[in-house]
Amino acid sequence: MKSKQLKWLYLTLLALVWGSSFILIKKGLIGLTALQLGSLRIIFAALFLFLIGFKNLSKIPARKWKYIALTSLVGTFLPVYLFAIAQTEIESSVSSILNSLTPLNTLLLGAFFFGLHFKRNQILGILIGLTGSILLVFNGALNHPEQNYYYAILVLIASICYALNVNIIKKHLHDLSPLSITTGNFTILFIPAFILLFFSGFFEVVQEIKVQQSVLFIMILGIVGTGIANILFFKLIQISSPVFATSVTYLIPVIAFGWGLLDSEILTPVQYFGAFIILIGVYLSAKK
């Protein structure tokens, strides 16, 4: 399959997987704290990646490990906990909407700090997608005044982390396989995540039924939504542009809203319109 076709396939798969991640976080928080959820997500992903990618660690040159460590911090460790904490106060659909600011941050960081060049239509696509996101956010705020939108700042910080991550990978790790990068990331993160889990009180409540049910949701999230998804994402970065790769965050809210509807979250006509605008933005940001 040609790269042009592959990048759209990866984009679609990632949108489905990551769009489903927010509802899994929501279900996980029923029996787990944000700290426990984030730690288990990393641990499950790490164990899965050790099984399939341990041999790939030897393919990472010594000089590249500093970039692997940096991407593990900004691309996984910080966002995992920031999203979990944010969703203790705001809806999963709102969290996914705010995450769609990632392409704009990718464009800005790439242009100012990484010397990457972007086409005029990519900038236009990002601005159109951002407009759709703003519609979704403000309309959601009007319909859910009880939500604490100060916690939305945590999602914004996470989106900046993602933007920094994708630029680092494109510039410094483009010559490594996605499996090597992902396995390297979680090799670094496993011990810190386990230490945080140990001191979170998780092992004192693990016998509770609601905790075990939440752990099952996070196991799915860790293996599919983090481990497998990161491999696909790093591959997408390598065969496309940073802006196109992060444009997946424009599709994520559409999937997240679908799950939200099934979980009794309300989608207004204005939010449907915003989702449509987002799709236009994705198309323009990908068009050469």
Side-chain angles (χ1 to χ4, degrees):
M1 189 179 294
K2 296 180 179 179
S3 292
K4 185 176 181 180
Q5 297 171 314
L6 270 178
K7 71 179 185 179
W8 283 104
L9 175 62
Y10 289 153
L11 188 76
T12 303
L13 289 174
L14 283 169
L16 291 171
V17 171
W18 278 339
S20 303
S21 295
F22 296 91
I23 193 66
L24 290 172
I25 292 174
K26 182 178 180 179
K27 297 298 184 182
L29 286 170
I30 293 175
L32 299 168
T33 66
L35 186 61
Q36 292 166 351
L37 188 153
S39 298
L40 284 169
R41 181 177 180 179
I42 291 173
I43 289 169
F44 281 128
L47 293 174
F48 168 73
L49 289 165
F50 289 158
L51 290 175
I52 68 169
F54 184 76
K55 293 181 179 179
N56 288 69
L57 293 177
S58 61
K59 299 178 181 179
I60 303 175
R63 69 182 186 278
K64 296 284 187 179
W65 274 102
K66 59 184 177 182
Y67 298 116
I68 294 290
L70 185 56
T71 58
S72 69
L73 176 66
V74 299
T76 300
F77 193 77
L78 292 177
V80 158
Y81 291 105
L82 289 172
F83 275 111
I85 296 170
Q87 281 193 221
T88 62
E89 293 291 336
I90 61 177
E91 292 282 5
S92 61
S93 54
V94 174
S95 183
S96 69
I97 295 163
L98 295 173
N99 187 46
S100 65
L101 293 171
T102 300
L104 177 59
N105 291 324
T106 301
L107 175 66
L108 295 176
L109 290 175
F112 286 110
F113 299 106
F114 292 88
L116 298 179
H117 301 284
F118 301 98
K119 303 294 184 181
R120 182 181 300 176
N121 62 272
Q122 289 180 310
I123 297 174
L124 178 62
I126 286 173
L127 293 176
I128 291 175
L130 182 60
T131 300
S133 298
I134 291 172
L135 273 177
L136 288 168
V137 169
F138 278 97
N139 193 258
L142 290 174
N143 286 278
H144 300 282
E146 75 283 356
Q147 294 181 10
N148 188 343
Y149 271 76
Y150 285 110
Y151 278 74
I153 296 173
L154 299 179
V155 180
L156 297 179
I157 295 172
S159 76
I160 294 172
C161 288
Y162 282 147
L164 181 59
N165 178 56
V166 72
N167 278 298
I168 292 171
I169 291 170
K170 187 66 175 180
K171 185 168 185 177
H172 298 290
L173 300 174
H174 62 276
D175 53 340
L176 296 182
S177 73
L179 186 56
S180 294
I181 299 171
T182 311
T183 306
N185 284 164
F186 285 91
T187 298
I188 291 172
L189 295 179
F190 180 80
I191 293 178
F194 187 82
I195 292 173
L196 288 174
L197 182 66
F198 181 81
F199 288 104
S200 70
F202 170 74
F203 295 102
E204 299 170 9
V205 297
V206 70
Q207 300 299 327
E208 297 180 14
I209 298 299
K210 69 173 183 178
V211 173
Q212 294 175 358
Q213 291 174 338
S214 292
V215 168
L216 180 60
F217 286 119
I218 302 310
M219 182 174 67
I220 297 171
L221 177 63
I223 294 174
V224 181
T226 305
I228 295 175
N230 275 6
I231 295 172
L232 292 175
F233 185 58
F234 294 157
K235 180 63 177 177
L236 178 60
I237 294 171
Q238 292 175 339
I239 66 172
S240 64
S241 69
V243 173
F244 179 84
T246 54
S247 68
V248 68
T249 58
Y250 285 158
L251 293 170
I252 286 171
V254 179
I255 306 300
F257 268 122
W259 283 111
L261 288 174
L262 294 176
D263 201 49
S264 301
E265 293 181 11
I266 300 173
L267 187 67
T268 67
V270 174
Q271 289 170 321
Y272 276 116
F273 181 63
F276 175 71
I277 294 176
I278 286 171
L279 292 175
I280 295 176
V282 172
Y283 173 75
L284 289 176
S285 69
K287 186 178 179 183
K288 293 184 179 181

Short mmCIF file of all heavy atoms in Angstrom, two decimals, residues 208-258:
data_model
loop_
_atom_site.label_atom_id
_atom_site.label_comp_id
_atom_site.label_asym_id
_atom_site.label_seq_id
_atom_site.Cartn_x
_atom_site.Cartn_y
_atom_site.Cartn_z
N GLU A 208 -11.44 -4.88 45.74
CA GLU A 208 -12.80 -4.37 45.54
C GLU A 208 -13.24 -4.60 44.09
O GLU A 208 -12.46 -4.43 43.15
CB GLU A 208 -12.85 -2.87 45.87
CG GLU A 208 -12.54 -2.55 47.33
CD GLU A 208 -12.59 -1.06 47.61
OE1 GLU A 208 -13.12 -0.32 46.75
OE2 GLU A 208 -12.11 -0.64 48.67
N ILE A 209 -14.52 -4.97 43.93
CA ILE A 209 -15.05 -5.30 42.61
C ILE A 209 -14.97 -4.12 41.65
O ILE A 209 -14.54 -4.27 40.49
CB ILE A 209 -16.52 -5.77 42.71
CG1 ILE A 209 -16.61 -7.06 43.55
CG2 ILE A 209 -17.10 -6.02 41.32
CD1 ILE A 209 -15.84 -8.23 42.98
N LYS A 210 -15.34 -2.93 42.12
CA LYS A 210 -15.33 -1.77 41.22
C LYS A 210 -13.91 -1.41 40.80
O LYS A 210 -13.70 -0.91 39.68
CB LYS A 210 -16.02 -0.58 41.88
CG LYS A 210 -15.29 0.04 43.04
CD LYS A 210 -16.00 1.31 43.50
CE LYS A 210 -15.23 2.00 44.63
NZ LYS A 210 -15.90 3.26 45.04
N VAL A 211 -12.95 -1.68 41.67
CA VAL A 211 -11.55 -1.43 41.31
C VAL A 211 -11.10 -2.41 40.23
O VAL A 211 -10.46 -2.02 39.25
CB VAL A 211 -10.64 -1.55 42.56
CG1 VAL A 211 -9.16 -1.46 42.16
CG2 VAL A 211 -10.97 -0.45 43.56
N GLN A 212 -11.46 -3.67 40.38
CA GLN A 212 -11.08 -4.69 39.40
C GLN A 212 -11.72 -4.42 38.04
O GLN A 212 -11.10 -4.62 37.00
CB GLN A 212 -11.47 -6.07 39.92
CG GLN A 212 -10.69 -6.50 41.15
CD GLN A 212 -11.16 -7.82 41.73
OE1 GLN A 212 -12.12 -8.43 41.23
NE2 GLN A 212 -10.50 -8.30 42.78
N GLN A 213 -12.97 -3.95 38.06
CA GLN A 213 -13.64 -3.61 36.80
C GLN A 213 -12.93 -2.44 36.11
O GLN A 213 -12.74 -2.44 34.89
CB GLN A 213 -15.10 -3.26 37.07
CG GLN A 213 -15.94 -4.46 37.49
CD GLN A 213 -17.35 -4.07 37.89
OE1 GLN A 213 -17.62 -2.92 38.24
NE2 GLN A 213 -18.27 -5.03 37.85
N SER A 214 -12.54 -1.45 36.90
CA SER A 214 -11.82 -0.30 36.35
C SER A 214 -10.46 -0.70 35.80
O SER A 214 -10.02 -0.20 34.76
CB SER A 214 -11.65 0.78 37.42
OG SER A 214 -12.89 1.35 37.77
N VAL A 215 -9.79 -1.64 36.48
CA VAL A 215 -8.50 -2.12 36.02
C VAL A 215 -8.62 -2.78 34.65
O VAL A 215 -7.75 -2.61 33.77
CB VAL A 215 -7.89 -3.11 37.03
CG1 VAL A 215 -6.68 -3.84 36.43
CG2 VAL A 215 -7.47 -2.39 38.30
N LEU A 216 -9.72 -3.48 34.41
CA LEU A 216 -9.95 -4.12 33.11
C LEU A 216 -10.04 -3.07 32.00
O LEU A 216 -9.44 -3.24 30.93
CB LEU A 216 -11.24 -4.95 33.15
CG LEU A 216 -11.61 -5.68 31.85
CD1 LEU A 216 -10.51 -6.65 31.45
CD2 LEU A 216 -12.93 -6.42 32.02
N PHE A 217 -10.76 -1.99 32.26
CA PHE A 217 -10.87 -0.90 31.28
C PHE A 217 -9.49 -0.30 30.99
O PHE A 217 -9.15 -0.01 29.83
CB PHE A 217 -11.81 0.19 31.78
CG PHE A 217 -13.26 -0.19 31.73
CD1 PHE A 217 -14.02 -0.23 32.90
CD2 PHE A 217 -13.88 -0.49 30.53
CE1 PHE A 217 -15.37 -0.57 32.86
CE2 PHE A 217 -15.23 -0.83 30.48
CZ PHE A 217 -15.97 -0.88 31.64
N ILE A 218 -8.69 -0.12 32.03
CA ILE A 218 -7.38 0.49 31.85
C ILE A 218 -6.39 -0.47 31.20
O ILE A 218 -5.46 -0.04 30.51
CB ILE A 218 -6.84 1.01 33.21
CG1 ILE A 218 -7.85 2.00 33.80
CG2 ILE A 218 -5.49 1.70 33.03
CD1 ILE A 218 -8.31 3.10 32.85
N MET A 219 -6.57 -1.77 31.39
CA MET A 219 -5.73 -2.74 30.69
C MET A 219 -5.95 -2.61 29.18
O MET A 219 -4.99 -2.61 28.40
CB MET A 219 -6.05 -4.15 31.15
CG MET A 219 -5.16 -5.20 30.49
SD MET A 219 -5.40 -6.87 31.17
CE MET A 219 -7.09 -7.20 30.63
N ILE A 220 -7.21 -2.48 28.77
CA ILE A 220 -7.53 -2.28 27.35
C ILE A 220 -6.92 -0.97 26.87
O ILE A 220 -6.32 -0.89 25.79
CB ILE A 220 -9.05 -2.29 27.13
CG1 ILE A 220 -9.64 -3.65 27.50
CG2 ILE A 220 -9.38 -1.93 25.67
CD1 ILE A 220 -11.16 -3.67 27.52
N LEU A 221 -7.07 0.06 27.69
CA LEU A 221 -6.54 1.38 27.34
C LEU A 221 -5.02 1.34 27.21
O LEU A 221 -4.45 1.92 26.28
CB LEU A 221 -6.94 2.40 28.41
CG LEU A 221 -6.41 3.83 28.25
CD1 LEU A 221 -6.93 4.45 26.97
CD2 LEU A 221 -6.81 4.68 29.45
N GLY A 222 -4.35 0.64 28.14
CA GLY A 222 -2.90 0.60 28.12
C GLY A 222 -2.35 -0.16 26.93
O GLY A 222 -1.42 0.30 26.26
N ILE A 223 -2.94 -1.32 26.64
CA ILE A 223 -2.42 -2.17 25.56
C ILE A 223 -2.78 -1.60 24.19
O ILE A 223 -1.92 -1.43 23.32
CB ILE A 223 -2.94 -3.60 25.70
CG1 ILE A 223 -2.37 -4.24 26.97
CG2 ILE A 223 -2.56 -4.44 24.47
CD1 ILE A 223 -2.94 -5.61 27.29
N VAL A 224 -4.06 -1.31 23.99
CA VAL A 224 -4.53 -0.86 22.67
C VAL A 224 -4.38 0.65 22.50
O VAL A 224 -3.80 1.13 21.53
CB VAL A 224 -6.00 -1.26 22.44
CG1 VAL A 224 -6.47 -0.81 21.05
CG2 VAL A 224 -6.17 -2.77 22.59
N GLY A 225 -4.90 1.40 23.48
CA GLY A 225 -4.94 2.86 23.35
C GLY A 225 -3.61 3.54 23.60
O GLY A 225 -3.47 4.73 23.28
N THR A 226 -2.64 2.82 24.16
CA THR A 226 -1.34 3.42 24.42
C THR A 226 -0.23 2.68 23.69
O THR A 226 0.49 3.26 22.87
CB THR A 226 -1.03 3.45 25.93
OG1 THR A 226 -2.10 4.12 26.62
CG2 THR A 226 0.27 4.19 26.21
N GLY A 227 -0.08 1.38 23.95
CA GLY A 227 0.99 0.61 23.32
C GLY A 227 0.88 0.52 21.81
O GLY A 227 1.75 1.01 21.07
N ILE A 228 -0.19 -0.10 21.32
CA ILE A 228 -0.38 -0.27 19.88
C ILE A 228 -0.55 1.08 19.19
O ILE A 228 0.01 1.33 18.11
CB ILE A 228 -1.59 -1.18 19.60
CG1 ILE A 228 -1.31 -2.60 20.13
CG2 ILE A 228 -1.90 -1.22 18.10
CD1 ILE A 228 -2.49 -3.55 20.00
N ALA A 229 -1.32 1.98 19.81
CA ALA A 229 -1.59 3.28 19.19
C ALA A 229 -0.31 4.10 19.03
O ALA A 229 -0.13 4.79 18.01
CB ALA A 229 -2.60 4.05 20.04
N ASN A 230 0.60 4.04 19.99
CA ASN A 230 1.85 4.80 19.87
C ASN A 230 2.71 4.29 18.71
O ASN A 230 3.35 5.09 18.01
CB ASN A 230 2.64 4.72 21.17
CG ASN A 230 2.20 5.77 22.18
OD1 ASN A 230 1.24 6.48 21.96
ND2 ASN A 230 2.90 5.86 23.29
N ILE A 231 2.70 2.97 18.51
CA ILE A 231 3.45 2.41 17.37
C ILE A 231 2.89 2.96 16.06
O ILE A 231 3.62 3.40 15.17
CB ILE A 231 3.38 0.88 17.39
CG1 ILE A 231 4.10 0.32 18.62
CG2 ILE A 231 4.02 0.30 16.11
CD1 ILE A 231 3.91 -1.18 18.81
N LEU A 232 1.56 2.95 15.94
CA LEU A 232 0.92 3.48 14.73
C LEU A 232 1.19 4.97 14.55
O LEU A 232 1.44 5.45 13.44
CB LEU A 232 -0.60 3.24 14.80
CG LEU A 232 -1.08 1.79 14.72
CD1 LEU A 232 -2.59 1.73 14.93
CD2 LEU A 232 -0.71 1.18 13.37
N PHE A 233 1.16 5.69 15.67
CA PHE A 233 1.35 7.14 15.62
C PHE A 233 2.78 7.49 15.18
O PHE A 233 2.97 8.37 14.33
CB PHE A 233 1.05 7.75 16.98
CG PHE A 233 1.12 9.26 16.99
CD1 PHE A 233 0.31 10.01 16.14
CD2 PHE A 233 1.97 9.93 17.86
CE1 PHE A 233 0.36 11.40 16.14
CE2 PHE A 233 2.02 11.31 17.88
CZ PHE A 233 1.22 12.05 17.02
N PHE A 234 3.76 6.81 15.73
CA PHE A 234 5.15 7.09 15.34
C PHE A 234 5.39 6.75 13.88
O PHE A 234 6.16 7.43 13.19
CB PHE A 234 6.12 6.32 16.24
CG PHE A 234 6.08 6.76 17.69
CD1 PHE A 234 6.50 5.90 18.69
CD2 PHE A 234 5.62 8.01 18.03
CE1 PHE A 234 6.47 6.30 20.02
CE2 PHE A 234 5.58 8.42 19.36
CZ PHE A 234 6.00 7.56 20.36
N LYS A 235 4.74 5.69 13.40
CA LYS A 235 4.84 5.34 11.99
C LYS A 235 4.20 6.43 11.13
O LYS A 235 4.73 6.82 10.09
CB LYS A 235 4.17 4.00 11.74
CG LYS A 235 4.21 3.54 10.28
CD LYS A 235 5.62 3.32 9.80
CE LYS A 235 5.65 2.80 8.37
NZ LYS A 235 7.05 2.64 7.87
N LEU A 236 3.06 6.95 11.58
CA LEU A 236 2.36 8.00 10.85
C LEU A 236 3.23 9.25 10.76
O LEU A 236 3.27 9.92 9.72
CB LEU A 236 1.03 8.33 11.55
CG LEU A 236 0.19 9.45 10.93
CD1 LEU A 236 -0.19 9.11 9.49
CD2 LEU A 236 -1.07 9.68 11.77
N ILE A 237 3.91 9.60 11.85
CA ILE A 237 4.79 10.77 11.85
C ILE A 237 5.89 10.60 10.79
O ILE A 237 6.23 11.54 10.07
CB ILE A 237 5.45 10.97 13.23
CG1 ILE A 237 4.39 11.32 14.27
CG2 ILE A 237 6.51 12.06 13.18
CD1 ILE A 237 4.90 11.32 15.70
N GLN A 238 6.42 9.38 10.68
CA GLN A 238 7.53 9.13 9.76
C GLN A 238 7.13 9.18 8.30
O GLN A 238 7.92 9.57 7.44
CB GLN A 238 8.17 7.78 10.09
CG GLN A 238 8.90 7.78 11.44
CD GLN A 238 9.44 6.41 11.80
OE1 GLN A 238 8.99 5.39 11.29
NE2 GLN A 238 10.42 6.37 12.70
N ILE A 239 5.88 8.79 7.98
CA ILE A 239 5.47 8.75 6.57
C ILE A 239 4.67 9.97 6.16
O ILE A 239 4.25 10.08 5.01
CB ILE A 239 4.66 7.48 6.26
CG1 ILE A 239 3.32 7.48 7.01
CG2 ILE A 239 5.47 6.23 6.56
CD1 ILE A 239 2.40 6.34 6.61
N SER A 240 4.44 10.91 7.10
CA SER A 240 3.68 12.12 6.76
C SER A 240 4.38 13.32 7.39
O SER A 240 5.58 13.28 7.64
CB SER A 240 2.23 12.00 7.25
OG SER A 240 2.17 11.93 8.67
N SER A 241 3.64 14.37 7.66
CA SER A 241 4.19 15.56 8.31
C SER A 241 3.71 15.63 9.76
O SER A 241 2.69 15.00 10.11
CB SER A 241 3.74 16.82 7.57
OG SER A 241 2.34 17.02 7.77
N PRO A 242 4.41 16.39 10.62
CA PRO A 242 3.95 16.54 12.00
C PRO A 242 2.53 17.08 12.09
O PRO A 242 1.74 16.65 12.93
CB PRO A 242 4.96 17.52 12.61
CG PRO A 242 6.21 17.30 11.83
CD PRO A 242 5.73 17.03 10.42
N VAL A 243 2.19 18.04 11.23
CA VAL A 243 0.86 18.63 11.27
C VAL A 243 -0.20 17.61 10.88
O VAL A 243 -1.25 17.51 11.51
CB VAL A 243 0.78 19.86 10.34
CG1 VAL A 243 -0.67 20.37 10.25
CG2 VAL A 243 1.68 20.97 10.86
N PHE A 244 0.06 16.82 9.83
CA PHE A 244 -0.91 15.80 9.44
C PHE A 244 -1.08 14.77 10.55
O PHE A 244 -2.19 14.36 10.87
CB PHE A 244 -0.46 15.09 8.16
CG PHE A 244 -1.43 14.01 7.72
CD1 PHE A 244 -2.55 14.33 6.97
CD2 PHE A 244 -1.23 12.68 8.08
CE1 PHE A 244 -3.46 13.34 6.58
CE2 PHE A 244 -2.12 11.69 7.70
CZ PHE A 244 -3.24 12.03 6.94
N ALA A 245 0.03 14.33 11.13
CA ALA A 245 -0.03 13.31 12.19
C ALA A 245 -0.87 13.77 13.37
O ALA A 245 -1.70 13.02 13.90
CB ALA A 245 1.38 12.94 12.65
N THR A 246 -0.68 15.02 13.78
CA THR A 246 -1.43 15.53 14.93
C THR A 246 -2.85 15.95 14.56
O THR A 246 -3.65 16.21 15.45
CB THR A 246 -0.71 16.72 15.59
OG1 THR A 246 -0.44 17.71 14.60
CG2 THR A 246 0.59 16.27 16.23
N SER A 247 -3.16 15.99 13.27
CA SER A 247 -4.53 16.31 12.88
C SER A 247 -5.50 15.20 13.28
O SER A 247 -6.72 15.39 13.23
CB SER A 247 -4.63 16.56 11.37
OG SER A 247 -4.39 15.37 10.64
N VAL A 248 -4.97 14.06 13.73
CA VAL A 248 -5.83 13.01 14.27
C VAL A 248 -6.63 13.53 15.46
O VAL A 248 -7.73 13.07 15.73
CB VAL A 248 -4.99 11.77 14.67
CG1 VAL A 248 -4.10 12.07 15.87
CG2 VAL A 248 -5.89 10.58 14.98
N THR A 249 -6.09 14.53 16.15
CA THR A 249 -6.79 15.07 17.32
C THR A 249 -8.04 15.84 16.93
O THR A 249 -8.85 16.18 17.78
CB THR A 249 -5.86 16.00 18.13
OG1 THR A 249 -5.39 17.06 17.30
CG2 THR A 249 -4.68 15.24 18.68
N TYR A 250 -8.19 16.16 15.64
CA TYR A 250 -9.44 16.78 15.18
C TYR A 250 -10.54 15.75 14.98
O TYR A 250 -11.73 16.07 15.06
CB TYR A 250 -9.20 17.53 13.85
CG TYR A 250 -8.47 18.83 13.99
CD1 TYR A 250 -7.79 19.37 12.91
CD2 TYR A 250 -8.43 19.52 15.20
CE1 TYR A 250 -7.11 20.57 13.02
CE2 TYR A 250 -7.75 20.71 15.32
CZ TYR A 250 -7.10 21.23 14.23
OH TYR A 250 -6.43 22.42 14.34
N LEU A 251 -10.15 14.51 14.68
CA LEU A 251 -11.13 13.44 14.49
C LEU A 251 -11.52 12.79 15.81
O LEU A 251 -12.62 12.26 15.94
CB LEU A 251 -10.56 12.38 13.54
CG LEU A 251 -10.35 12.79 12.09
CD1 LEU A 251 -9.56 11.72 11.35
CD2 LEU A 251 -11.67 13.04 11.41
N ILE A 252 -10.62 12.84 16.77
CA ILE A 252 -10.85 12.19 18.06
C ILE A 252 -12.15 12.65 18.73
O ILE A 252 -12.91 11.81 19.23
CB ILE A 252 -9.63 12.39 18.99
CG1 ILE A 252 -8.48 11.50 18.53
CG2 ILE A 252 -9.98 12.08 20.44
CD1 ILE A 252 -7.17 11.77 19.25
N PRO A 253 -12.45 13.97 18.77
CA PRO A 253 -13.71 14.38 19.42
C PRO A 253 -14.95 13.78 18.80
O PRO A 253 -15.94 13.53 19.50
CB PRO A 253 -13.70 15.91 19.25
CG PRO A 253 -12.27 16.28 19.12
CD PRO A 253 -11.65 15.14 18.33
N VAL A 254 -14.93 13.54 17.50
CA VAL A 254 -16.09 12.95 16.83
C VAL A 254 -16.36 11.56 17.39
O VAL A 254 -17.50 11.20 17.71
CB VAL A 254 -15.87 12.89 15.30
CG1 VAL A 254 -17.08 12.26 14.62
CG2 VAL A 254 -15.59 14.28 14.74
N ILE A 255 -15.29 10.76 17.52
CA ILE A 255 -15.42 9.41 18.08
C ILE A 255 -15.79 9.49 19.55
O ILE A 255 -16.67 8.74 20.04
CB ILE A 255 -14.11 8.62 17.91
CG1 ILE A 255 -13.66 8.61 16.44
CG2 ILE A 255 -14.28 7.20 18.43
CD1 ILE A 255 -14.64 7.98 15.49
N ALA A 256 -15.14 10.41 20.27
CA ALA A 256 -15.40 10.54 21.70
C ALA A 256 -16.84 10.94 21.97
O ALA A 256 -17.47 10.47 22.93
CB ALA A 256 -14.45 11.57 22.31
N PHE A 257 -17.38 11.81 21.13
CA PHE A 257 -18.77 12.21 21.29
C PHE A 257 -19.73 11.06 21.04
O PHE A 257 -20.78 10.95 21.66
CB PHE A 257 -19.12 13.38 20.36
CG PHE A 257 -18.92 14.72 20.99
CD1 PHE A 257 -18.07 15.65 20.43
CD2 PHE A 257 -19.59 15.07 22.15
CE1 PHE A 257 -17.88 16.89 21.00
CE2 PHE A 257 -19.42 16.30 22.74
CZ PHE A 257 -18.55 17.21 22.17
N GLY A 258 -19.36 10.19 20.09
CA GLY A 258 -20.19 9.01 19.84
C GLY A 258 -20.29 8.14 21.07
O GLY A 258 -21.38 7.70 21.46
#
